[in-house]
Amino acid sequence: GRGAAHTHTHTNREQHRHTTGAEKAMRKLSVLCLHGYSMTGALLQQSMRRTCERLSHLARFRFVDGPHTVEPSPHLPLELPEGTRPLGWWRPERQDDRSWHFHGVDDSLALLSQAEASEVEAHGHGVDVVLGFSQGSALAHLATALRQHRPSASPLPSLRGAVFVGGFP
């Protein structure tokens, strides 16, 4: 009686250890997170804290800052900490003909390439998923389109998926 119960418990523990080992062997997804206009990577990370915690067994989230200082947005739902510069992925400028010119897109694509190279160096594989919020969503869309339609120009050649939050055309 008593020995059989002990053996059964031991078997369950072994099975649990085996499952845990298999889960650890499964590679976590690399998710590159792109903040919105007039934000920072740290601010997006703060707003996504619970999501990242709940998915930490499946994915590793990396938050990066846009390369351009921009004007503060009056529409930002969260306040930037004192002394923090508002950042963006490009600076939009309205032209005389009412069209738009987006200064700095190439810098942002180069930053995504650097993030890909850093991910490969640190973890042996590139970025699996790009997650973009607002202006970051537009950049994520551009990166996804390049990956699909112009692979040789893609800053994220390992990209397998994307999440667009609050994007715009």
Side-chain angles (χ1 to χ4, degrees), residues 9-165:
T9 303
H10 179 72
T11 302
N12 285 342
R13 283 187 191 142
E14 289 300 315
Q15 287 173 344
H16 178 69
R17 275 189 216 133
H18 177 72
T19 302
T20 302
E23 287 172 357
K24 286 181 183 176
M26 190 174 92
R27 178 174 75 78
K28 286 186 178 184
L29 289 175
S30 168
V31 181
L32 181 63
C33 302
L34 310 176
H35 62 79
Y37 184 81
S38 191
M39 291 179 69
T40 65
L43 194 58
L44 180 60
Q45 183 175 16
Q46 174 188 332
S47 65
M48 289 185 55
R49 183 180 48 83
R50 285 192 179 115
T51 300
C52 294
E53 287 172 0
R54 289 193 175 138
L55 297 175
S56 65
H57 65 289
L58 297 173
R60 183 178 53 261
F61 295 86
R62 179 173 179 198
F63 296 82
V64 293
D65 286 331
H68 304 288
T69 300
V70 297
E71 292 297 316
S73 172
H75 307 292
L76 188 63
L78 303 168
E79 286 192 35
L80 290 172
E82 189 68 34
T84 302
R85 296 179 338 219
L87 301 172
W89 298 103
W90 54 80
R91 291 182 308 279
E93 180 184 350
R94 186 74 146 209
Q95 304 297 299
D96 291 338
D97 67 359
R98 308 287 296 152
S99 66
W100 289 93
H101 180 76
F102 302 101
H103 300 278
V105 173
D106 290 339
D107 298 332
S108 295
L109 292 173
L111 194 139
L112 296 186
S113 290
Q114 292 169 4
E116 172 86 0
S118 174
E119 193 67 19
V120 169
E121 184 177 323
H123 301 286
H125 60 88
V127 173
D128 297 303
V129 176
V130 62
L131 180 149
F133 172 74
S134 191
Q135 190 187 51
S137 179
L139 181 60
H141 186 263
L142 177 58
T144 303
L146 286 170
R147 171 72 176 91
Q148 186 173 5
H149 299 290
R150 285 184 154 169
S152 63
S154 175
L156 301 174
S158 302
L159 193 63
R160 299 187 298 152
V163 178
F164 309 106
V165 181

